[in-house]
Amino acid sequence: MHASATILKRLAHANLGPPDRLRQVLLRVQVSAASIDEGKTAPEVIYDGNTVSHLKAPGGVAMDNYFVYWLNKAGAPKAGTLIRGLQYATAETIQNASAGVKLLAGNAPKCYGVCLAGGNIFYTDEASRLYGINRASTSRHVVRTISSSLQAPRGCVSDGAGTVYVADKSQNAVFRFPSNMDDLMPRAMVKAADLQGAFGLAIHDVGYQAPGILR
């Protein structure tokens, strides 16, 4: 690893002390080759559920060059479903910890996987649906249902070339659909691979070969 990178983690219902100190936080780990060699990879809290009302049992996390996006698994109706925050926000850098946080969607009570593809955000609910929403800061953020044919959708990932893959835990499979659309609309899910208990997904770039799907 030649350049520094940022790793975002979510910690939900983690017992960090006595029961009355149960915390729900979003953590950031900034790593480089030097920090790994020196063992300096301690996480830091960027958002805490004690001060940010839109952080409740965080699930999937995604990020771009400026924002971090997360889903709540116990969000509706108050905390919301899909949330956007400043990637580098901390209690020390902004007086109000919620100042950089924006509710993008509140349509589902429990969601799991979220991924960015072009100008859109895609995310899965607990039961059968895959949703899409425009992520432009000037957008009205209207949620569209992309598919309701899944059985237990979980993680999703974009290959960066116009295809999004979605894991379906109940169907033991990974499905794909074309994501390069300006206007969000329903898409047919095509099985891409059989995978027992499919849950989290990542794209492994293997040079000039087709990207691989990792569980």
Side-chain angles (χ1 to χ4, degrees):
M1 183 180 296
H2 300 289
S4 62
T6 299
I7 300 174
L8 287 168
K9 298 177 62 179
R10 43 92 176 161
L11 181 57
H13 299 297
N15 193 352
L16 303 183
D20 61 339
R21 296 185 62 189
L22 209 62
R23 299 177 65 195
Q24 301 188 72
V25 297
L26 193 66
L27 305 174
R28 179 180 68 214
V29 180
Q30 291 186 283
V31 296
S32 64
S35 66
I36 292 175
D37 291 341
E38 297 171 5
K40 297 179 180 179
T41 56
E44 61 177 320
V45 175
I46 58 172
Y47 288 112
D48 191 319
N50 290 323
T51 55
V52 177
S53 60
H54 291 311
L55 185 63
K56 186 72 171 178
V61 178
M63 58 186 287
D64 55 23
N65 292 330
Y66 192 69
F67 294 112
V68 54
Y69 306 83
W70 70 87
L71 295 170
N72 288 316
K73 291 193 292 184
K78 293 183 178 180
T81 301
L82 175 64
I83 315 298
R84 185 187 73 196
L86 298 174
Q87 187 183 138
Y88 295 100
T90 67
E92 290 75 26
T93 57
I94 53 177
Q95 185 175 1
N96 180 357
S98 297
V101 175
K102 180 178 177 61
L103 171 67
L104 300 184
N107 61 305
K110 189 173 185 178
C111 288
Y112 281 88
V114 58
C115 57
L116 311 179
N120 299 314
I121 307 170
F122 297 98
Y123 60 100
T124 64
D125 72 2
E126 180 183 21
S128 64
R129 288 179 171 80
L130 171 74
Y131 301 104
I133 189 171
N134 190 287
R135 68 181 171 124
S137 59
T138 56
S139 171
R140 294 176 57 192
H141 301 299
V142 177
V143 178
R144 304 293 185 189
T145 298
I146 306 302
S147 175
S148 58
S149 65
L150 300 164
Q151 294 183 11
R154 293 299 181 260
C156 69
V157 65
S158 169
D159 67 358
T163 300
V164 164
Y165 297 87
V166 183
D168 192 312
K169 181 182 178 183
S170 181
Q171 296 192 70
N172 297 310
V174 176
F175 294 86
R176 61 178 171 84
F177 70 95
S179 61
N180 51 346
M181 46 182 157
D182 294 328
D183 296 322
L184 291 166
M185 62 184 69
R187 293 285 193 176
M189 298 289 112
V190 178
K191 183 184 286 190
D194 293 308
L195 187 62
Q196 186 69 31
F199 205 101
L201 297 178
I203 292 292
H204 172 50
D205 189 351
V206 288
Y208 294 102
Q209 302 177 32
I213 302 173
L214 300 181
R215 178 184 172 192

